[in-house]
Amino acid sequence: MSRINKNVVLALLTLTSSAFLLFQLYYYKHYLSTKNGAGLSKSKGSRIGFDSTQWRAVKKFIMLTSNQNVPVFLIDPLVLELINKNFEQVKNTSQGSISQCTFFCVPRDFTAFALQYHLWKNEEGWFRIAENMGFQCLKIESKDPRLDGIDSLSGTEIPLHYICKLATHAIHLVVFHERSGNYLWHGHLRLKEHIDRKFVPFRKLQFGRYPGAFDRPELQQVTLDGLEVLIPKDPMHFVEEVPHSRFIECRYKEARAFFQQYLDDNTVEAMAFRKSAKELLQLAAKTLNKLGVPFWLSSGTCLGWYRQCNIIPYSKDVDLGIFIRDYKSDIILAFQDAGLPLKHKFGKVEDSLELSFQGKDDVKLDIFFFYEETDHVWNGGTQAKTGKKFKYLFPKFTLCWTEFVDMKVRVPCETLEYIEANYGTQT
């Protein structure tokens, strides 16, 4: 009897242990794994649940900005790319209709938002409330570059970036400022000596390594992971702008020094030419932008921007550069339709192409096409009277945005090397 009782007890213990183990497995699978973000979604790849650090930080940030009427919009390239891939699904999603965290739950250090500063009404109050909600916030300020052309002594500082950290995730709020060319600009995130470099992994930030310029985006509201968010209406256009957004300022200080040595020409003729040249540049930019052809300031127009932040009045033309890879066969017709008849065409598409168009008031538009080689870039030139050909070599260069005569235009980032290749070192 004793032996039978022992076997029964052993069997009951085994059965109880098995049941308890099964309960633990069920509890972990259906509760703890979801709570701790350790579950796997049924879709391709791993997803963290709605209780992830990233999602909670974004949710709290959106609550904060919504309650304080801070008009932020999403500019995070990774999230915008995910939105673009699932755009129809995003447009048809309403708040509370989703069961899986897709956009804000991927493990990462930052999520990037932007703010148009002129729409912000209560900066200091927002900053204080953010800290009361548990965020640790860092504010990056710097001198307003828009005042450099007006007053060299101005020390007015403007906010450029906010980094707000909640637990292990940070929100990077990029502050966009309006510029006179009807575009948005953000500044360089330059860390000052007193700032803790270990506050967040700054090197992983996707905005702020250098100043940037962007087209003003049209916005729309969508629901992402149960959160109402403003995003650019064309997400991929914004994403494609990011790697080409680098901006460099005109050198106002050097321009003032130049005019102290050489008086500026403010005669009626000079002012009239600058006005006509500006109108011609605006028309050329509109025509090329409509064609989708990127261009930059070249030759004398580039020199005027670099040396005196203005059009050189005695240059008598507007000079632009275009890579031959961006040439389009209907470019001549497009300029003629814009009221700029072709004056000269030198060379061929495969060799030394140069186009010249006649603007009003006898101001000419010259377009030089550049050809890329392994270690240099070149453009050809042809003497109008003799037909003699020239080849001008340039070191390889990249393109940056700048502001010139109230326009957002490109110039070679390596401007001095470009100008010296064109004119020599005595410029």
Side-chain angles (χ1 to χ4, degrees):
M1 187 70 181
S2 175
R3 180 180 297 274
I4 293 174
N5 288 341
K6 287 182 179 179
N7 289 337
V8 170
V9 171
L10 183 60
L12 287 172
L13 288 174
T14 303
L15 183 62
T16 304
S17 298
S18 299
F20 184 69
L21 180 60
L22 288 171
F23 173 77
Q24 283 185 311
L25 289 172
Y26 176 87
Y27 183 77
Y28 176 81
K29 181 179 180 181
H30 292 278
Y31 179 71
L32 287 181
S33 63
T34 303
K35 183 177 180 181
N36 295 325
L40 295 177
S41 71
K42 293 180 182 179
S43 62
K44 185 178 179 181
S46 177
R47 294 286 196 274
I48 297 176
F50 281 99
D51 202 33
S52 71
T53 303
Q54 293 89 336
W55 185 82
R56 284 187 284 109
V58 172
K59 179 183 179 182
K60 210 164 189 179
F61 176 77
I62 290 173
M63 286 174 55
L64 165 66
T65 54
S66 177
N67 291 339
Q68 297 299 309
N69 295 317
V70 184
V72 302
F73 59 98
L74 184 72
I75 60 169
D76 195 284
L78 176 61
V79 181
L80 290 180
E81 285 178 6
L82 286 173
I83 292 171
N84 190 66
K85 290 177 183 177
N86 304 277
F87 206 52
E88 288 304 315
Q89 177 188 340
V90 169
K91 286 195 297 184
N92 297 325
T93 299
S94 60
Q95 192 172 11
S97 67
I98 48 139
S99 59
Q100 191 173 73
C101 190
T102 304
F103 302 97
F104 294 124
C105 293
V106 180
R108 52 215 301 262
D109 296 295
F110 296 96
T111 302
F113 286 82
L115 166 79
Q116 296 186 50
Y117 188 64
H118 69 285
L119 301 176
W120 201 358
K121 305 303 180 185
N122 185 23
E123 178 189 349
E124 293 304 322
W126 175 87
F127 193 78
R128 196 167 50 251
I129 294 168
E131 294 187 327
N132 290 338
M133 289 180 67
F135 284 101
Q136 293 176 275
C137 290
L138 177 67
K139 180 180 180 181
I140 308 294
E141 294 180 300
S142 190
K143 185 178 176 182
D144 190 344
R146 296 169 297 182
L147 301 177
D148 284 350
I150 303 170
D151 178 10
S152 62
L153 300 177
S154 174
T156 302
E157 290 204 335
I158 54 174
L160 301 179
H161 298 266
Y162 282 91
I163 309 291
C164 289
K165 184 171 69 170
L166 186 69
T168 59
H169 192 70
I171 304 296
H172 181 193
L173 181 58
V174 181
V175 183
F176 278 127
H177 296 269
E178 289 188 308
R179 300 288 293 241
S180 58
N182 193 32
Y183 63 96
L184 301 179
W185 168 92
H186 72 75
H188 181 199
L189 200 161
R190 184 177 284 111
L191 298 179
K192 297 182 179 179
E193 290 183 4
H194 68 278
I195 293 177
D196 180 9
R197 264 64 174 174
K198 296 179 181 178
F199 180 64
V200 290
F202 290 100
R203 57 186 175 79
K204 294 184 180 180
L205 288 173
Q206 293 178 285
F207 298 89
R209 295 178 187 174
Y210 40 74
F214 291 83
D215 295 336
R216 188 189 300 273
E218 187 179 352
L219 303 177
Q220 66 175 338
Q221 185 170 289
V222 296
T223 299
L224 303 176
D225 298 336
L227 306 174
E228 292 188 2
V229 186
L230 282 174
I231 65 168
K233 202 164 188 178
D234 185 349
M236 282 314 295
H237 176 72
F238 187 90
V239 170
E240 288 162 1
E241 282 188 283
V242 174
H244 309 290
S245 62
R246 186 176 178 183
F247 183 95
I248 53 179
E249 294 287 350
C250 180
R251 307 180 320 142
Y252 291 108
K253 181 179 178 181
E254 288 78 3
R256 280 189 286 271
F258 177 83
F259 287 125
Q260 286 178 355
Q261 187 173 0
Y262 308 98
L263 292 179
D264 193 8
D265 187 350
N266 290 318
T267 61
V268 174
E269 293 78 13
M271 299 293 285
F273 169 75
R274 281 179 170 149
K275 180 176 181 294
S276 297
K278 177 181 176 179
E279 291 173 354
L280 179 58
L281 178 58
Q282 289 173 332
L283 181 57
K286 182 179 179 181
T287 304
L288 291 170
N289 289 339
K290 190 180 293 184
L291 286 172
V293 175
F295 68 92
W296 66 90
L297 305 183
S298 190
S299 303
T301 308
C302 184
L303 176 62
W305 169 81
Y306 181 78
R307 192 176 63 185
Q308 53 217 72
C309 297
N310 209 334
I311 295 168
I312 300 174
Y314 56 80
S315 60
K316 302 305 178 188
D317 57 19
V318 172
D319 302 308
L320 303 180
I322 296 175
F323 285 118
I324 196 63
R325 66 171 182 259
D326 296 317
Y327 171 82
K328 292 190 176 179
S329 58
D330 54 349
I331 193 169
I332 294 176
L333 181 61
F335 274 107
Q336 289 175 336
D337 288 344
L340 300 174
L342 182 68
K343 185 174 183 178
H344 297 297
K345 178 183 178 183
F346 299 118
K348 299 174 290 185
V349 174
E350 58 270 19
D351 179 32
S352 306
L353 182 64
E354 178 186 337
L355 300 176
S356 182
F357 298 91
Q358 185 61 58
K360 68 176 186 178
D361 300 326
D362 205 32
V363 182
K364 189 160 56 80
L365 172 68
D366 290 330
I367 299 180
F368 304 96
F369 289 87
F370 285 69
Y371 298 75
E372 295 181 88
E373 304 291 349
T374 304
D375 59 350
H376 69 280
V377 178
W378 63 275
N379 78 287
T382 305
Q383 198 172 59
K385 292 182 179 179
T386 64
K388 187 177 180 181
K389 294 179 67 175
F390 301 91
K391 194 172 185 178
Y392 302 97
L393 304 182
F394 295 79
K396 286 215 163 186
F397 57 87
T398 52
L399 295 175
C400 286
W401 291 109
T402 192
E403 189 170 302
F404 182 62
V405 292
D406 298 326
M407 292 179 63
K408 171 180 166 240
V409 292
R410 293 181 181 92
V411 293
C413 303
E414 303 79 11
T415 320
L416 181 58
E417 292 86 346
Y418 183 87
I419 290 173
E420 288 181 344
N422 219 332
Y423 295 105
T425 57
Q426 300 302 314
T427 53

